[in-house]
C-alpha cells in the first residue's frame, strides 16, 4: 500500500489550488453568501472534543441560522435526543465547521469558526417556533466562509427524485434499536409510536 504521509507528497499528487479556490474564501459573510444561509433549511455541524470528532445534522425552517452581523451567526438548538454531543464538544473546544445545503442547488456553503452556547431567555425566545423558544443558541464567530462548487452534488444526483431510495428498503430505527439493545427495546413498538412522539417534540 502506498501512503501519502506529508503535505509535500499530497501537493505533488494534487497540485496547488487555483485562484478561484482561494479568492472565494473570506472572513465574513457577504450578501452573496448570506443568500445561501438564508435559503438553507439544513446544516451539518462538525465539532471536536476529547472523545473525538462529531458531525451532527441541524434542520429547521429555511433561514433558521440567523446572521447577526457579517462576523457572527446564531443557530437555535431544538428538542432532540438529549445526547448534546455537539454542545458538549463546543464547551470544551469551540472550533466548529458548518456545511449549508440548499435543496435544488448544487452549490454548498462552508463556514469555519469558533462557537459558544448562550441561554439568554430573550435571545432564545427570539427563535420561538410554534410557541416554543430555542433551548439554547449556538453563537458562531466566523473565521472563514466560502462556497463549495457543485461537483459532489452533481455526482451524487442528490436532488434527483429518480435516485431517491425507498425508505422501506432500509432498516427502521426500531429495528436498529432492537439489535443494538439486544432486544431490550421493542423495535415494532418504537417505530409505531415514533411519528406521534416526533410530532409532539418537533420544536
Amino acid at each position: 500500500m502506498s501512503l501519502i504521509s506529508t503535505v509535500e507528497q499530497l501537493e505533488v499528487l494534487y497540485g496547488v489550488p487555483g485562484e478561484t479556490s482561494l479568492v472565494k474564501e473570506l472572513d465574513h459573510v457577504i450578501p452573496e453568501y448570506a443568500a445561501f444561509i438564508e435559503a438553507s433549511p439544513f446544516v451539518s455541524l462538525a465539532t471536536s472534543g476529547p472523545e473525538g470528532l462529531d458531525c451532527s445534522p441541524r434542520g429547521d425552517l429555511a433561514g433558521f441560522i440567523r446572521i447577526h452581523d457579517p462576523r457572527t451567526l446564531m443557530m437555535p438548538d431544538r428538542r432532540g435526543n438529549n445526547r448534546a454531543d455537539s454542545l458538549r464538544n463546543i464547551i470544551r473546544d469551540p472550533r466548529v465547521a458548518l456545511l449549508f445545503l440548499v435543496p435544488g442547488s448544487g452549490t454548498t456553503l462552508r463556514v469555519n469558526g469558533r462557537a459558544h452556547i448562550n441561554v439568554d431567555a430573550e435571545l432564545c425566545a427570539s427563535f420561538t417556533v410554534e410557541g416554543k423558544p430555542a433551548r439554547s443558541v449556538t453563537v458562531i464567530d466566523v473565521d472563514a466562509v466560502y462556497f463549495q462548487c457543485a461537483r459532489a452534488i452533481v455526482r451524487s444526483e442528490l436532488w434527483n427524485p429518480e435516485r431517491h431510495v425507498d425508505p422501506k428498503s432500509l432498516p427502521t430505527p426500531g429495528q436498529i434499536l432492537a439489535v443494538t439493545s439486544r432486544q431490550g427495546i421493542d423495535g415494532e413498538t418504537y417505530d409505531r409510536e415514533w411519528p406521534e412522539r416526533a410530532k409532539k417534540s418537533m420544536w
Side-chain angles (χ1 to χ4, degrees):
M1 180 182 295
S2 298
L3 301 178
I4 296 292
S5 57
T6 68
V7 172
E8 290 74 20
Q9 290 174 323
L10 188 67
E11 289 179 346
V12 168
L13 179 64
Y14 282 93
V16 295
E19 180 185 10
T20 57
S21 295
L22 299 175
V23 73
K24 65 184 178 182
E25 181 177 335
L26 301 173
D27 64 358
H28 63 283
V29 178
I30 58 175
E32 290 77 6
Y33 285 162
F36 285 91
I37 295 172
E38 293 166 350
S40 175
F42 181 87
V43 174
S44 291
L45 170 65
T47 58
S48 176
E51 294 82 13
L53 303 176
D54 183 74
C55 188
S56 176
R58 291 289 189 271
D60 214 322
L61 301 176
F64 71 101
I65 293 187
R66 180 181 300 166
I67 303 171
H68 178 68
D69 60 51
R71 294 294 303 272
T72 311
L73 304 181
M74 294 181 170
M75 177 170 58
D77 192 68
R78 305 292 182 190
R79 291 176 179 270
N81 57 18
N82 292 331
R83 284 183 56 119
D85 294 321
S86 299
L87 303 185
R88 292 176 191 273
N89 282 347
I90 288 170
I91 288 172
R92 296 171 294 177
D93 184 340
R95 295 175 298 169
V96 298
L98 300 94
L99 177 67
F100 291 83
L101 297 181
V102 179
S105 173
T107 301
T108 59
L109 190 73
R110 298 170 63 173
V111 173
N112 299 327
R114 291 153 292 109
H116 63 270
I117 302 165
N118 193 318
V119 292
D120 177 78
E122 186 174 344
L123 178 61
C124 290
S126 72
F127 285 93
T128 296
V129 176
E130 297 291 330
K132 297 180 180 179
R135 299 182 77 177
S136 66
V137 176
T138 300
V139 181
I140 300 156
D141 297 322
V142 175
D143 289 331
V145 54
Y146 53 98
F147 75 89
Q148 186 78 31
C149 71
R151 288 188 183 90
I153 302 297
V154 171
R155 288 172 184 147
S156 68
E157 297 190 59
L158 183 63
W159 308 126
N160 182 357
E162 295 181 2
R163 294 291 187 180
H164 288 184
V165 175
D166 181 356
K168 295 180 181 178
S169 70
L170 300 172
T172 66
Q175 290 169 339
I176 295 171
L177 287 170
V179 171
T180 58
S181 69
R182 298 182 180 180
Q183 307 306 317
I185 293 176
D186 183 337
E188 291 186 6
T189 299
Y190 181 92
D191 286 335
R192 184 172 60 253
E193 295 178 349
W194 188 86
E196 189 62 31
R197 194 164 57 243
K199 188 186 304 182
K200 292 180 180 179
S201 63
M202 184 66 70
W203 307 106

